Amino acid sequence: MPTTVITGRDVTFTIGGNTFDAQATSATLTGTVNRQTYETLDGKAYKVIDNDFSLAVEMLADWGATGSLCEILWGVAESAPNTGISTVFTAASGAVFTFQVLPTWPSAGGTAPDAQTVSLTFQVIGVPAENFA
C-alpha cells in the first residue's frame, strides 16, 4: 500500500448561531476506550464500559476583537458550563466528525514577543458522529 500524506484539517465551533474557525492553528480529536478486564475460569473477558473523547485546540488569541471567540468561550464557560457547543472537525476532505463539546476557560497572555495563543482541551459529549465519504 502506498504512503498517504494527509495535510487537511479544520475545526468549526458554532455558538449562539455564530460560526468560528479562522483562529485555530491546531486541532486533535482523541478517543479513549475504558475497557475492563475480568479474569474468569475460562480466561480473560473484556467489557467496554465507557468511551471518552476530547478535542485539543491551539488557536491565536483574539481578546478584544469584535466577536472574539476567546471572549465568547469565557462567557459560555461562566454562564452555561454544562451546555454543549456544536463542533465540526474535518480531519481531511471526506473525513468529518460532528459532536458537541463542553465549554472551558480560555487562557490569556503568553511569552514576548510571540503572538498570544490559547490552548484548550474540550470534553466531548458522547461519541462523535463520523462521515467518511
Side-chain angles (χ1 to χ4, degrees):
M1 176 178 182
T3 301
T4 301
V5 178
I6 300 172
T7 59
R9 65 223 158 260
D10 192 17
V11 64
T12 301
F13 297 100
T14 302
I15 305 170
N18 298 314
T19 301
F20 304 91
D21 70 349
Q23 294 300 109
T25 59
S26 171
T28 304
L29 177 64
T30 304
T32 303
V33 174
N34 185 347
R35 181 179 294 117
Q36 297 290 318
T37 303
Y38 303 97
E39 292 286 343
T40 70
L41 296 176
D42 290 337
K44 290 184 179 181
Y46 304 95
K47 175 71 176 167
V48 173
I49 60 169
D50 197 11
N51 295 297
D52 189 37
F53 284 83
S54 63
L55 177 68
V57 177
E58 299 280 333
M59 61 182 245
L60 299 172
D62 64 350
W63 296 104
T66 302
S68 166
L69 178 56
C70 287
E71 292 174 15
I72 289 172
L73 286 172
W74 188 280
V76 173
E78 188 171 42
S79 65
N82 298 315
T83 302
I85 299 169
S86 296
T87 306
V88 176
F89 174 66
T90 303
S93 179
V96 179
F97 303 88
T98 305
F99 49 93
Q100 291 196 338
V101 296
L102 292 171
T104 190
W105 303 97
S107 58
T111 59
D114 296 337
Q116 288 189 38
T117 59
V118 177
S119 297
L120 302 160
T121 301
F122 293 96
Q123 175 68 45
V124 174
I125 299 172
V127 176
E130 73 281 345
N131 182 357
F132 304 130

